[in-house]
Amino acid sequence: MIEASCHCGAVSFAVETAPDQVNDCNCSICRRYGTLWAYYRRAEVRFAAENGPTDIYLWGDRSLEFHRCRACGCVTHWSAVDQTRERMGINARLMAPQVLAAIPVRHGDGASR
């Protein structure tokens, strides 16, 4: 079980396995957030029942909701507005450093889209 949380611990989640790779996207928002995205199906990510609220940011075509902790501001995940889309991204930088160190990083070119 891989556990992750924002800085203050108000938002935490877990996944069964570490991702095969993470994506370092260079699009206008991801490069500013400084995230490394790990992709999972929604059902594979277990958010803690006692999680605090998140703020949501929508941009561009407004198809993705970017969530951040309301208390400390850490970007935690994104999910599709269309709930039928199974894929979501979690910010792998919230995982323990030793977990993240073993995961290959893919440098995605979202800026060219």
Side-chain angles (χ1 to χ4, degrees):
M1 182 71 63
I2 307 294
E3 296 180 353
S5 72
C6 64
H7 189 258
C8 73
V11 178
S12 62
F13 51 88
V15 291
E16 285 292 325
T17 60
D20 294 331
Q21 68 178 3
V22 293
N23 185 27
D24 183 9
C25 180
N26 68 353
C27 78
S28 63
I29 193 165
C30 292
R31 70 181 171 83
R32 286 176 170 89
Y33 281 158
T35 54
L36 288 175
W37 296 116
Y39 304 112
Y40 290 91
R41 289 188 337 268
R42 286 178 191 261
E44 295 176 311
V45 181
R46 290 186 217 104
F47 287 92
E50 67 276 2
N51 273 353
T54 60
D55 287 326
I56 297 171
Y57 178 66
L58 295 151
W59 72 287
D61 65 4
R62 304 181 70 77
S63 63
L64 298 180
E65 298 177 339
F66 290 88
H67 292 257
R68 70 177 181 88
C69 173
R70 237 182 232 182
C72 69
C74 287
V75 174
T76 55
H77 65 286
W78 65 257
S79 60
V81 172
D82 176 356
Q83 296 290 308
T84 63
R85 287 185 56 192
E86 281 295 311
R87 184 172 133 159
M88 68 178 297
I90 61 170
N91 185 0
R93 289 201 189 273
L94 304 181
M95 295 176 178
Q98 62 271 25
V99 173
L100 191 56
I103 303 170
V105 177
R106 175 186 173 272
H107 296 278
D109 187 12
S112 296
R113 292 187 207 168

